[in-house]
Amino acid sequence: IHIFQKEKDVIVAYTRIFKSGDYYKNPSIGRVVVSKKNRGKELGKKIMIHSIEYIKKNLKGEKIELSAQKYLDKFYKDLGFYKIGEDYLEDGIPHQRMIKEIN
């Protein structure tokens, strides 16, 4: 499931939602992207909130799981996610698994 925001027919923010079992046991959000020229406008936060709401309304699960780049820890914690497990490398970049309760 693709969630995106456009400005003048150009995608400026994007997330991809996975159903339970596609990537993790629970629904997941991945590929959170904001175009470079649109960073600093809180588009990442807005599209994440929209993605979380979509999952709450449309997908079954008690939690949302994701693989977060380690340097974005505060961004995800501010959205209610918490870290579980050990850090790991994904594509050579430090990551952490994070979960948000949605029940």
Side-chain angles (χ1 to χ4, degrees):
I1 300 160
H2 304 275
I3 306 289
F4 56 91
Q5 179 178 340
K6 283 183 164 183
E7 288 183 6
K8 298 181 183 178
D9 294 327
V10 175
I11 295 173
V12 296
Y14 170 88
T15 64
R16 186 173 5 172
I17 296 174
F18 299 94
K19 298 175 191 167
S20 298
D22 284 347
Y23 194 63
Y24 290 116
K25 176 183 172 186
N26 295 292
S28 178
I29 301 170
R31 302 292 184 221
V32 181
V33 179
V34 175
S35 66
K36 283 186 181 182
K37 80 177 208 178
N38 287 287
R39 293 180 186 162
K41 299 178 182 178
E42 297 202 1
L43 295 181
K45 180 179 179 181
K46 290 175 186 173
I47 201 157
M48 279 296 295
I49 290 168
H50 184 75
S51 299
I52 292 164
E53 289 303 314
Y54 180 91
I55 290 171
K56 284 181 182 179
K57 289 169 96 174
N58 299 290
L59 302 179
K60 294 179 181 177
E62 298 177 3
K63 302 174 184 176
I64 299 172
E65 298 183 52
L66 52 82
S67 177
Q69 291 183 8
K70 183 73 176 157
Y71 84 96
L72 292 169
D73 183 71
K74 181 178 178 346
F75 172 78
Y76 289 108
K77 284 182 177 175
D78 288 350
L79 290 164
F81 288 87
Y82 59 90
K83 177 185 172 180
I84 60 168
E86 299 295 320
D87 295 351
Y88 54 92
L89 290 178
E90 186 173 311
D91 299 326
I93 301 167
H95 278 70
Q96 61 190 4
R97 187 169 167 216
M98 299 187 89
I99 289 186
K100 176 181 178 67
E101 309 287 335
I102 58 171
N103 41 347

